[in-house]
Amino acid sequence: MGRGRAKAKQTKVARDLKYRTHETDFGALAREMHGDESTEDQAAEVPDEWADLDERSRD
């Protein structure tokens, strides 16, 4: 396929982002920016499958 279809899709996405109103959760944004403890606890519960590889590379 040519560049036309990809460019049309990019244009459509750009227009959607520009003209659609999105509800912004400023409370969640503030918690993320200020490091709320509850979000850190949730991140700690998710195991990092690559963490053991990082530890091995440090030895």
Side-chain angles (χ1 to χ4, degrees):
M1 301 270 160
R3 169 93 170 103
R5 185 175 290 180
K7 187 173 188 307
K9 182 161 177 82
Q10 289 174 348
T11 302
K12 178 183 176 186
V13 169
R15 285 188 181 135
D16 286 346
L17 290 172
K18 183 176 181 180
Y19 295 115
R20 287 198 181 158
T21 57
H22 299 282
E23 294 297 321
T24 304
D25 185 1
F26 290 109
L29 180 61
R31 286 190 300 275
E32 182 178 339
M33 295 299 287
H34 296 292
D36 186 25
E37 294 173 2
S38 64
T39 57
E40 291 175 5
D41 293 339
Q42 292 173 353
E45 293 175 6
V46 178
D48 186 8
E49 63 184 81
W50 303 106
D52 59 337
L53 293 176
D54 187 40
E55 291 171 2
R56 288 185 210 155
S57 65
R58 292 181 186 172
D59 292 336

